[in-house]
Short mmCIF file of all heavy atoms in Angstrom, two decimals:
data_model
loop_
_atom_site.label_atom_id
_atom_site.label_comp_id
_atom_site.label_asym_id
_atom_site.label_seq_id
_atom_site.Cartn_x
_atom_site.Cartn_y
_atom_site.Cartn_z
N ILE A 670 -4.78 -0.56 6.56
CA ILE A 670 -4.73 -1.23 7.86
C ILE A 670 -6.02 -2.01 8.05
O ILE A 670 -7.10 -1.42 8.28
CB ILE A 670 -4.52 -0.20 8.99
CG1 ILE A 670 -3.26 0.62 8.71
CG2 ILE A 670 -4.41 -0.92 10.34
CD1 ILE A 670 -3.28 2.00 9.30
N GLU A 671 -5.94 -3.33 7.92
CA GLU A 671 -7.11 -4.19 8.08
C GLU A 671 -7.50 -4.23 9.55
O GLU A 671 -6.63 -4.29 10.43
CB GLU A 671 -6.79 -5.59 7.57
CG GLU A 671 -7.99 -6.51 7.48
CD GLU A 671 -8.97 -6.07 6.40
OE1 GLU A 671 -8.69 -6.29 5.21
OE2 GLU A 671 -10.02 -5.51 6.77
N THR A 672 -8.79 -4.19 9.82
CA THR A 672 -9.26 -4.28 11.20
C THR A 672 -9.77 -5.68 11.49
O THR A 672 -10.28 -6.38 10.62
CB THR A 672 -10.38 -3.26 11.46
OG1 THR A 672 -11.44 -3.47 10.51
CG2 THR A 672 -9.87 -1.84 11.32
N ASN A 673 -9.59 -6.08 12.74
CA ASN A 673 -10.02 -7.40 13.20
C ASN A 673 -9.40 -8.51 12.36
O ASN A 673 -10.05 -9.48 11.98
CB ASN A 673 -11.55 -7.52 13.19
CG ASN A 673 -12.06 -8.41 14.31
OD1 ASN A 673 -11.35 -8.69 15.26
ND2 ASN A 673 -13.30 -8.86 14.18
N ALA A 674 -8.11 -8.36 12.06
CA ALA A 674 -7.37 -9.35 11.28
C ALA A 674 -5.93 -9.39 11.79
O ALA A 674 -5.49 -8.48 12.51
CB ALA A 674 -7.39 -9.00 9.80
N GLY A 675 -5.22 -10.45 11.43
CA GLY A 675 -3.87 -10.63 11.95
C GLY A 675 -2.83 -10.74 10.85
O GLY A 675 -2.91 -10.06 9.82
N HIS A 676 -1.88 -11.65 11.05
CA HIS A 676 -0.72 -11.75 10.16
C HIS A 676 -1.09 -12.39 8.82
O HIS A 676 -0.33 -12.30 7.86
CB HIS A 676 0.37 -12.58 10.85
CG HIS A 676 1.72 -12.43 10.25
ND1 HIS A 676 2.36 -11.21 10.17
CD2 HIS A 676 2.57 -13.33 9.70
CE1 HIS A 676 3.55 -11.37 9.59
NE2 HIS A 676 3.69 -12.64 9.29
N GLY A 677 -2.25 -13.02 8.75
CA GLY A 677 -2.68 -13.60 7.47
C GLY A 677 -3.48 -14.87 7.62
O GLY A 677 -4.48 -15.07 6.93
N ALA A 678 -3.04 -15.76 8.51
CA ALA A 678 -3.74 -17.03 8.69
C ALA A 678 -5.16 -16.79 9.19
O ALA A 678 -5.40 -15.97 10.07
CB ALA A 678 -2.98 -17.91 9.68
N GLY A 679 -6.11 -17.52 8.60
CA GLY A 679 -7.50 -17.41 9.02
C GLY A 679 -8.24 -16.21 8.49
O GLY A 679 -9.39 -15.96 8.88
N THR A 680 -7.62 -15.45 7.59
CA THR A 680 -8.30 -14.28 7.03
C THR A 680 -9.55 -14.71 6.27
O THR A 680 -9.48 -15.59 5.40
CB THR A 680 -7.37 -13.51 6.08
OG1 THR A 680 -6.20 -13.11 6.78
CG2 THR A 680 -8.05 -12.28 5.51
N PRO A 681 -10.70 -14.14 6.55
CA PRO A 681 -11.93 -14.54 5.87
C PRO A 681 -11.84 -14.31 4.36
O PRO A 681 -11.13 -13.41 3.88
CB PRO A 681 -13.00 -13.63 6.48
CG PRO A 681 -12.42 -13.15 7.77
CD PRO A 681 -10.94 -13.09 7.56
N THR A 682 -12.57 -15.12 3.61
CA THR A 682 -12.56 -15.02 2.15
C THR A 682 -12.95 -13.62 1.68
O THR A 682 -12.36 -13.09 0.74
CB THR A 682 -13.52 -16.07 1.55
OG1 THR A 682 -13.07 -17.38 1.93
CG2 THR A 682 -13.56 -15.98 0.03
N THR A 683 -13.94 -13.01 2.34
CA THR A 683 -14.36 -11.67 1.92
C THR A 683 -13.21 -10.68 2.02
O THR A 683 -13.01 -9.84 1.12
CB THR A 683 -15.54 -11.19 2.78
OG1 THR A 683 -15.22 -11.36 4.17
CG2 THR A 683 -16.81 -11.95 2.45
N LYS A 684 -12.45 -10.76 3.10
CA LYS A 684 -11.31 -9.85 3.26
C LYS A 684 -10.21 -10.17 2.26
O LYS A 684 -9.55 -9.27 1.73
CB LYS A 684 -10.77 -9.94 4.69
CG LYS A 684 -11.64 -9.29 5.75
CD LYS A 684 -10.98 -9.35 7.13
CE LYS A 684 -11.84 -8.75 8.22
NZ LYS A 684 -11.93 -7.29 8.13
N GLN A 685 -9.98 -11.45 1.97
CA GLN A 685 -8.98 -11.83 0.98
C GLN A 685 -9.31 -11.23 -0.39
O GLN A 685 -8.43 -10.73 -1.10
CB GLN A 685 -8.89 -13.35 0.87
CG GLN A 685 -8.33 -14.04 2.10
CD GLN A 685 -8.24 -15.55 1.90
OE1 GLN A 685 -7.84 -16.03 0.84
NE2 GLN A 685 -8.63 -16.31 2.90
N ILE A 686 -10.59 -11.30 -0.76
CA ILE A 686 -11.02 -10.74 -2.05
C ILE A 686 -10.82 -9.23 -2.07
O ILE A 686 -10.31 -8.67 -3.04
CB ILE A 686 -12.48 -11.13 -2.32
CG1 ILE A 686 -12.59 -12.64 -2.57
CG2 ILE A 686 -13.04 -10.34 -3.51
CD1 ILE A 686 -14.02 -13.14 -2.64
N GLU A 687 -11.24 -8.57 -1.01
CA GLU A 687 -11.09 -7.12 -0.95
C GLU A 687 -9.63 -6.70 -1.02
O GLU A 687 -9.27 -5.75 -1.73
CB GLU A 687 -11.72 -6.59 0.35
CG GLU A 687 -13.24 -6.69 0.38
CD GLU A 687 -13.81 -6.48 1.77
OE1 GLU A 687 -12.99 -6.30 2.72
OE2 GLU A 687 -15.04 -6.51 1.92
N GLN A 688 -8.77 -7.40 -0.30
CA GLN A 688 -7.34 -7.07 -0.30
C GLN A 688 -6.72 -7.26 -1.67
O GLN A 688 -5.94 -6.42 -2.14
CB GLN A 688 -6.61 -7.93 0.75
CG GLN A 688 -6.98 -7.58 2.18
CD GLN A 688 -6.52 -8.62 3.18
OE1 GLN A 688 -5.81 -9.58 2.84
NE2 GLN A 688 -6.91 -8.47 4.44
N ALA A 689 -7.07 -8.37 -2.34
CA ALA A 689 -6.53 -8.62 -3.67
C ALA A 689 -7.04 -7.60 -4.68
O ALA A 689 -6.28 -7.11 -5.53
CB ALA A 689 -6.90 -10.04 -4.12
N ALA A 690 -8.32 -7.26 -4.60
CA ALA A 690 -8.88 -6.26 -5.52
C ALA A 690 -8.18 -4.91 -5.35
O ALA A 690 -7.85 -4.23 -6.33
CB ALA A 690 -10.38 -6.11 -5.28
N ASP A 691 -7.93 -4.53 -4.11
CA ASP A 691 -7.25 -3.26 -3.85
C ASP A 691 -5.82 -3.30 -4.37
O ASP A 691 -5.33 -2.32 -4.95
CB ASP A 691 -7.25 -2.95 -2.35
CG ASP A 691 -8.64 -2.62 -1.83
OD1 ASP A 691 -9.56 -2.44 -2.65
OD2 ASP A 691 -8.81 -2.55 -0.60
N ARG A 692 -5.15 -4.40 -4.15
CA ARG A 692 -3.74 -4.52 -4.55
C ARG A 692 -3.59 -4.45 -6.07
O ARG A 692 -2.78 -3.67 -6.59
CB ARG A 692 -3.19 -5.84 -4.00
CG ARG A 692 -1.70 -5.99 -4.05
CD ARG A 692 -1.24 -7.15 -3.19
NE ARG A 692 -1.82 -8.42 -3.58
CZ ARG A 692 -2.70 -9.10 -2.85
NH1 ARG A 692 -3.13 -8.62 -1.70
NH2 ARG A 692 -3.19 -10.26 -3.26
N TYR A 693 -4.34 -5.26 -6.80
CA TYR A 693 -4.21 -5.28 -8.25
C TYR A 693 -4.69 -3.99 -8.89
O TYR A 693 -4.09 -3.49 -9.84
CB TYR A 693 -4.95 -6.48 -8.84
CG TYR A 693 -4.32 -7.81 -8.48
CD1 TYR A 693 -5.10 -8.88 -8.03
CD2 TYR A 693 -2.95 -8.01 -8.59
CE1 TYR A 693 -4.53 -10.09 -7.70
CE2 TYR A 693 -2.38 -9.23 -8.26
CZ TYR A 693 -3.17 -10.26 -7.82
OH TYR A 693 -2.60 -11.46 -7.49
N SER A 694 -5.77 -3.44 -8.35
CA SER A 694 -6.28 -2.17 -8.89
C SER A 694 -5.25 -1.06 -8.70
O SER A 694 -5.00 -0.25 -9.61
CB SER A 694 -7.60 -1.79 -8.20
OG SER A 694 -8.60 -2.75 -8.45
N PHE A 695 -4.65 -1.02 -7.52
CA PHE A 695 -3.61 -0.03 -7.23
C PHE A 695 -2.44 -0.17 -8.20
O PHE A 695 -1.91 0.83 -8.71
CB PHE A 695 -3.15 -0.21 -5.79
CG PHE A 695 -2.11 0.78 -5.33
CD1 PHE A 695 -2.49 2.00 -4.81
CD2 PHE A 695 -0.76 0.48 -5.40
CE1 PHE A 695 -1.53 2.93 -4.37
CE2 PHE A 695 0.21 1.38 -4.97
CZ PHE A 695 -0.18 2.60 -4.45
#
Side-chain angles (χ1 to χ4, degrees):
I670 304 152
E671 189 68 76
T672 56
N673 213 17
H676 197 59
T680 302
T682 299
T683 50
K684 287 184 182 288
Q685 292 181 43
I686 292 171
E687 290 166 358
Q688 291 167 6
D691 291 350
R692 193 166 59 249
Y693 292 134
S694 298
F695 182 86

